[in-house]
Amino acid sequence: MALQAAALLPSTFSFSKEGKVGASLKDSSLFGKSLSDQIKSDISSSSLKIKRAVRAEAVITATPAVNRATAEGKKTLRKGTVVITGASSGLGLATAKALAETGKWHIIMACRDFLKAERAAKSVGMTKENYTIMHLDLGSLDSVRQFVDTFRRSGRSLDVLVCNAAVYLPTAKEPTFTAEGFELSVGVNHLGHFLLARSLLDDMNQSDYPSKRLIIVGSITGNTNTLAGNVPPKASLGDLRGLAGGLNGLNTASMIDGGDFDGAKAYKDSKVCNMLTMQEFHRRYHEDTGITFASLYPGCIATTGLFREHIPLFRFLFPPFQKYVTKGFVSEEEAGKRLAQVVSDPSLTKSGVYWSWNKDSASFENQLSQEASDVEKARKVWEISEKLVGLA
Ligand code: NDP
Ligand code: PMR
């Protein structure tokens, strides 16, 4: 909070913890002192602090200050940098497009298929200066670590991270596994993102951007307090015995609750983990870092690649079913605008929130199910996940 407030101060130089200087000039006076006097005294009293802070800082990013004064003296916020996982299709791509169109964001498309991502960016009219593609396969922790390294080498600051990528394997009879041997749905959707978000938290903390956010995409189907969440198989993490055993399907179950493999349930369980993780981040880090942690259900985007593994009849009937029966359907474009709001809308800065949208497409804070808001379970999922990804 302190960092955010400092960066938003309108008429002084602001100094972040890391000693970065945010110059936001305005021709006015502060409590009767002239601006130039104020600046002079700010500079002299802070230069020592900056020198110390810069010496102490291991990584000095080359990011320009948050507020730049243009030639005409007009204040502009620098472009934010947002990392979006799985930006090569569906919701991630639509969000990247919506943000690129504002001209206020540089989008790091964190994708496993470079060519697909490049084609996707072109297909929605994104221009070169608005995006960079960086390789990330969430099914490999080495790849996650490599991504973090590549990102750091880019010299960009990290302002917003969107954990969006996911796989859904409803027709699989047998489990498949990530490089480290975790069941694929939970491995990619939860554990890969867990390591990514934990590793990049420090980077975000160092950014001088005024509104830093970490967003983990959730879903209605992981919430058993809804009709959609009561369609079998229902999400349930049980006592986490499968997760604790490493989900490897050999000496332990491939499902979090220790039960038999069910691809649809594994996806829903992974979404519960996503929503629990967001809240645990909030409890552990919001107050100290000022970072906004959020999750969301963007609506039923029944046309995306998420259903690629489903039977053809499902893929044919699902969009009209959602459009005309449940009326929960939302287009990729609309869903992208919703997630883009969670990334950058000044009114959505509240942390620890699971956002949803009503029929008029207005956002509201939604209630999570009992399990998806269970504080003790969130802590346990966090601690077990830390061990599985090598952070503890
Ligand atoms: P898509 O299948 O269109 O997008 C998923 C993205 O994840 C793709 O870009 C895909 O990459 C990427 N991905 C999959 N596996 C990996 C991996 N191992 N490493 C890196 N990236 C990977 O689905 P959606 O857009 O629908 O899903 C996006 C998010 O929205 C998910 O979190 C999903 O749970 C959530 N959601 C979706 C709803 C819907 O109705 N569709 C409803 C509620 C939530 P590639 O292109 O290479 O396959
Ligand atoms: Mg569901 C208001 C009712 C509603 C909504 C918003 C969704 C969203 N679904 C609803 C109801 C129903 N669905 C009902 C009544 C049925 C029984 C006919 C039903 C069935 C159904 C299936 C078989 N729905 C599904 C599936 C899937 O395979 C999808 C899934 O669970 O993916 C994990 C799905 C979904 N329904 C949704 C949403 C958003 C999904 C998919 C994506 C997700 O949660 O990420």
Side-chain angles (χ1 to χ4, degrees):
M1 268 314 187
L3 276 181
Q4 276 186 342
L8 284 167
L9 278 175
S11 44
T12 60
F13 279 94
S14 58
F15 297 95
S16 72
K17 259 190 208 160
E18 295 77 37
K20 287 183 198 121
V21 185
S24 64
L25 289 170
K26 196 167 133 192
D27 190 16
S28 65
S29 66
L30 189 73
F31 303 123
K33 239 180 174 181
S34 84
L35 176 66
S36 51
D37 286 351
Q38 179 64 40
I39 291 170
K40 271 181 228 153
S41 77
D42 274 0
I43 290 174
S44 61
S45 69
S46 304
S47 58
L48 196 65
K49 276 188 231 155
I50 295 173
K51 275 182 207 147
R52 277 198 207 120
V54 168
R55 263 202 308 273
E57 199 182 15
V59 182
I60 303 164
T61 61
T63 312
V66 172
N67 292 309
R68 280 178 174 159
T70 61
E72 307 84 51
K74 243 172 79 183
K75 257 191 318 173
T76 56
L77 192 69
R78 73 160 163 83
K79 259 191 178 187
T81 299
V82 53
V83 169
I84 305 179
T85 68
S88 55
S89 70
L91 178 61
L93 179 61
T95 307
K97 175 180 187 276
L99 291 170
E101 278 169 358
T102 66
K104 295 175 179 164
W105 292 91
H106 186 86
I107 296 111
I108 307 284
M109 301 172 74
C111 297
R112 60 178 166 175
D113 184 337
F114 190 91
L115 263 182
K116 184 178 175 186
E118 185 64 53
R119 285 198 194 107
K122 288 220 172 80
S123 75
V124 296
M126 288 168 67
T127 48
K128 279 264 174 230
E129 69 276 12
N130 289 331
Y131 71 92
T132 304
I133 300 168
M134 283 185 199
H135 185 262
L136 170 67
D137 180 354
L138 289 156
S140 153
L141 298 181
D142 271 347
S143 173
V144 173
R145 287 185 275 264
Q146 218 160 60
F147 173 85
V148 170
D149 194 47
T150 310
F151 178 79
R152 288 183 180 151
R153 284 166 197 267
S154 77
R156 289 187 174 275
S157 79
L158 178 61
D159 306 319
V160 178
L161 169 63
V162 182
C163 297
N164 160 79
V167 287
Y168 175 41
L169 309 161
T171 55
K173 300 269 180 288
E174 297 293 332
T176 41
F177 299 93
T178 65
E180 288 75 19
F182 308 129
E183 186 282 319
L184 198 69
S185 329
V186 176
V188 168
N189 306 359
H190 167 58
L191 291 170
H193 277 135
F194 182 80
L195 178 61
L196 181 73
R198 284 288 306 274
S199 309
L200 289 175
L201 192 72
D202 259 4
D203 301 70
M204 266 178 126
N205 205 17
Q206 287 179 25
S207 151
D208 60 356
Y209 201 72
S211 186
K212 299 179 278 189
R213 307 184 191 187
L214 196 169
I215 300 155
I216 308 178
V217 179
S219 181
I220 194 170
T221 54
N223 279 295
T224 49
N225 57 341
T226 63
L227 173 60
N230 275 290
V231 174
K234 290 202 251 179
S236 78
L237 308 187
D239 63 4
L240 306 173
R241 69 179 66 177
L243 186 67
L247 299 174
N248 59 33
L250 290 171
N251 47 4
T252 185
S254 59
M255 298 292 289
I256 292 180
D257 63 1
D260 291 339
F261 176 71
D262 181 322
K265 182 174 183 300
Y267 170 88
K268 294 174 190 179
D269 289 351
S270 76
K271 289 285 119 184
V272 176
C273 291
N274 286 154
M275 295 178 282
L276 289 173
T277 301
M278 175 281 287
Q279 294 163 86
E280 191 65 15
F281 262 116
H282 167 72
R283 281 187 286 271
R284 288 176 186 243
Y285 296 108
H286 174 65
E287 213 170 295
D288 287 350
T289 63
I291 294 170
T292 296
F293 299 97
S295 186
L296 69 151
Y297 166 58
C300 185
I301 332 161
T303 51
T304 72
L306 192 68
F307 311 104
R308 67 187 97 175
E309 300 292 334
H310 226 311
I311 56 169
L313 185 64
F314 175 90
R315 293 208 306 272
F316 179 69
L317 293 176
F318 193 52
F321 172 69
Q322 293 294 342
K323 246 182 225 171
Y324 305 113
V325 183
T326 73
K327 306 224 185 326
F329 179 86
V330 66
S331 68
E332 292 180 31
E333 192 183 7
E334 181 58 26
K337 284 184 191 156
R338 290 176 178 184
L339 179 46
Q341 274 176 40
V342 184
V343 169
S344 70
D345 194 305
S347 66
L348 302 190
T349 52
K350 188 167 170 191
S351 185
V353 173
Y354 167 65
W355 296 104
S356 295
W357 285 258
N358 66 20
K359 287 196 176 65
D360 303 322
S361 229
S363 58
F364 67 95
E365 285 178 39
N366 208 346
Q367 288 291 311
L368 291 158
S369 70
Q370 202 176 9
E371 182 169 53
S373 52
D374 183 327
V375 173
E376 188 52 22
K377 210 163 254 190
R379 189 183 59 78
K380 284 191 186 142
V381 167
W382 179 280
E383 287 171 1
I384 297 170
S385 304
E386 272 187 328
K387 288 194 186 119
L388 295 179
V389 302
L391 290 173

